[in-house]
Amino acid sequence: MSEPKMVQPPARFPTRPAAGTMTRGDFLWMGWSALAAFFAAGAAAGARYIFPNVIYEPSQIFNAGPAKDYDMGVSMKWLNTHRIWIIRIPTGIYAMWARCTHLGCTPNWFPDQDRFKCPCHGSNYTLAGDVIAGPAPIPLWRAKITLASTGDLIVDKGVLADQPPKRSQAPFFLTNSELGLS
Ligand code: FES
């Protein structure tokens, strides 16, 4: 009797995929990750609508100091920080917003010519704020100005007037007698 032949077992399938190939598990994991990212982005966008779209601006009201500190003419003291000129004339004081009524540039004061001139398109204004040249459609705005019990001037840029007689009386103008000035 002849010896039985040795039979080689069939080659087994590899238990690990070759490097660089994707398994079914990898594919599912990627799918779930993408889905989770999609829902997270949707939730974040939804949460954004819950909170109001608020822009925090500096207060429109500021203390401009004692009225007696202002000499006759145009004070630039608050021009850079609040964009306001405090203007003292022989009869009283008012606060004018340094914003051209054409497109919003800041005019310059020329004391020798007694007028404000806008550098952008050439509008000219009088000391009172009236337009005397250029494309500006309306006078400069005056801001509300009141006297605190301490004697300080309080300016409120949130309340404005540009036309007489409104701009020439309280709360847009303080007379010398109201200010206790002579
Ligand atoms: S912005 Fe002042 S003239 Fe145009």
Side-chain angles (χ1 to χ4, degrees):
M1 226 174 136
S2 62
E3 285 275 320
K5 275 190 171 179
M6 286 287 284
V7 177
Q8 289 290 331
R12 299 180 64 192
F13 289 109
T15 54
R16 286 174 177 271
T21 59
M22 185 180 286
T23 65
R24 182 169 173 271
D26 292 338
F27 186 75
L28 283 174
W29 186 87
M30 280 179 56
W32 283 114
S33 299
L35 201 62
F38 173 78
F39 281 115
R48 179 71 187 82
Y49 281 98
I50 294 172
F51 300 100
N53 202 9
V54 177
I55 298 172
Y56 296 97
E57 292 185 343
S59 172
Q60 299 286 72
I61 302 172
F62 68 96
N63 185 328
K68 61 178 172 48
D69 287 359
Y70 291 93
D71 294 328
M72 211 61 72
V74 179
S75 169
M76 305 288 162
K77 188 174 182 182
W78 305 103
L79 184 60
N80 290 336
T81 52
H82 295 283
R83 211 177 177 188
I84 283 283
W85 296 296
I86 301 292
I87 300 173
R88 183 164 175 204
I89 58 175
T91 52
I93 281 182
Y94 55 97
M96 201 145 69
W97 191 14
R99 184 182 188 281
C100 180
T101 56
H102 180 222
L103 293 177
C105 292
T106 301
N108 297 307
W109 170 240
F110 291 84
D112 53 325
Q113 298 172 42
D114 208 26
R115 64 174 62 182
F116 296 97
K117 291 183 177 183
C118 182
C120 294
H121 312 99
S123 288
N124 281 217
Y125 303 88
T126 64
L127 183 64
D130 290 319
V131 183
I132 48 176
I138 56 173
L140 292 168
W141 293 97
R142 294 192 193 183
K144 178 181 173 184
I145 187 166
T146 51
L147 191 65
S149 57
T150 56
D152 289 352
L153 298 172
I154 307 299
V155 177
D156 183 355
K157 288 168 59 186
V159 184
L160 302 168
D162 71 327
Q163 300 290 337
K166 190 177 177 186
R167 73 181 187 192
S168 307
Q169 56 199 30
F172 302 100
F173 185 79
L174 286 168
T175 63
N176 283 339
S177 58
E178 288 168 326
L179 294 165
L181 300 174
S182 53

